[in-house]
Amino acid sequence: MHDTAGIETIQQMNGITELPQGWDMRLARLISNLLSPPMIALAGVLLALRMLETPKDILWLLFFTGLTLALPVGYIIWKVHRGEITDFHVRVREQRIRPLLLAVVGGLVSLTGLWLGKAPVKLTVLAEMGVMQVAFLLLVTFKWKISGLGAAISSLAVYLCGLYGAVAAPALLTIPLVAWARLRLRRHTLLQTVCGSLAGAAFTLGLLATMPMR
């Protein structure tokens, strides 16, 4: 049985209400959907392909992606279908814990495989940083609703700048754009979006320092 009553209660406790559907709301929702963490992660996977040299390397990437991205996303879709999670963006903080935990566990399992299988060093370092970032978000989420979308978009924007230099600087504009969308939809406070964005940037800068892309 779907626990829709329970979800409505949690939504009320978290101040979640339906907002008027003006053009700005539609735009904010479009931005949130197009730049959702799974979509950004997929873009990161495509970027990671540039550092791989053999078909075996691609298999390693698919192995990691399946456990750290497909597994938690599939779980969220299943729970939304059952009516046990509010929506694909998981508005309620408590409902984010299990998908994040799945991502961390899947990441650790895949990292073990990468280490034992002697996967490409660059891919292994990228995977390590990704797992550490998700683990950080999980720890924060136990007590506070940090912006995962803010972390994801800032990670991608900084990563692009690390890869391509000043020519990729316009990608940084997506960070305040996403922050505006989340604030307009009332999914996060300004502090939550700022902290999420700073966390994503910090982990990615650590990645770039550990594994120079040029």
Side-chain angles (χ1 to χ4, degrees):
M1 180 181 296
H2 299 348
D3 190 16
T4 54
I7 286 180
E8 291 175 358
T9 300
I10 295 175
Q11 289 178 339
Q12 293 171 1
M13 292 174 61
N14 284 270
I16 297 173
T17 56
E18 292 299 323
L19 300 175
Q21 299 300 305
W23 70 266
D24 54 337
M25 289 295 297
R26 292 193 293 271
L27 178 60
R29 185 166 287 108
L30 177 64
I31 292 170
S32 294
N33 289 334
L34 291 178
L35 299 178
S36 64
M39 295 298 290
I40 294 172
L42 181 59
V45 169
L46 296 177
L47 286 171
L49 288 174
R50 71 187 295 275
M51 70 177 66
L52 305 180
E53 299 175 354
T54 69
K56 183 179 179 181
D57 296 343
I58 297 176
L59 290 177
W60 279 123
L61 180 61
L62 292 175
F63 172 65
F64 175 76
T65 303
L67 288 176
T68 57
L69 178 59
L71 181 62
V73 168
Y75 174 82
I76 291 173
I77 293 174
W78 175 55
K79 285 295 186 178
V80 170
H81 177 72
R82 288 174 56 85
E84 297 174 4
I85 286 181
T86 53
D87 64 331
F88 186 71
H89 291 283
V90 194
R91 285 181 277 180
V92 179
R93 177 182 60 81
E94 293 83 356
Q95 295 176 355
R96 297 184 172 196
I97 293 175
R98 287 187 179 180
L100 286 172
L101 184 59
L102 273 177
V104 171
V105 172
L108 292 175
V109 171
S110 62
L111 270 178
T112 301
L114 293 175
W115 290 328
L116 294 177
K118 298 181 179 180
V121 174
K122 287 186 177 181
L123 178 58
T124 302
V125 173
L126 181 63
E128 290 170 347
M129 285 295 177
V131 173
M132 285 192 288
Q133 179 171 315
V134 176
F136 171 78
L137 294 176
L138 171 62
L139 291 175
V140 174
T141 301
F142 278 116
K143 292 295 184 180
W144 195 54
K145 188 183 175 184
I146 193 170
S147 176
L149 203 158
I153 193 61
S154 64
S155 291
L156 180 61
V158 173
Y159 186 62
L160 285 171
C161 290
L163 287 178
Y164 303 111
V167 71
L172 297 173
L173 296 176
T174 59
I175 300 174
L177 181 65
V178 165
W180 170 82
R182 304 313 285 163
L183 290 172
R184 185 65 190 89
L185 293 172
R186 299 183 188 176
R187 299 295 186 261
H188 289 288
T189 65
L190 179 60
L191 182 60
Q192 290 168 348
T193 60
V194 169
C195 289
S197 299
L198 289 176
F203 276 100
T204 305
L205 288 172
L207 164 66
L208 295 172
T210 305
M211 182 188 63
M213 293 298 177
R214 300 191 191 197

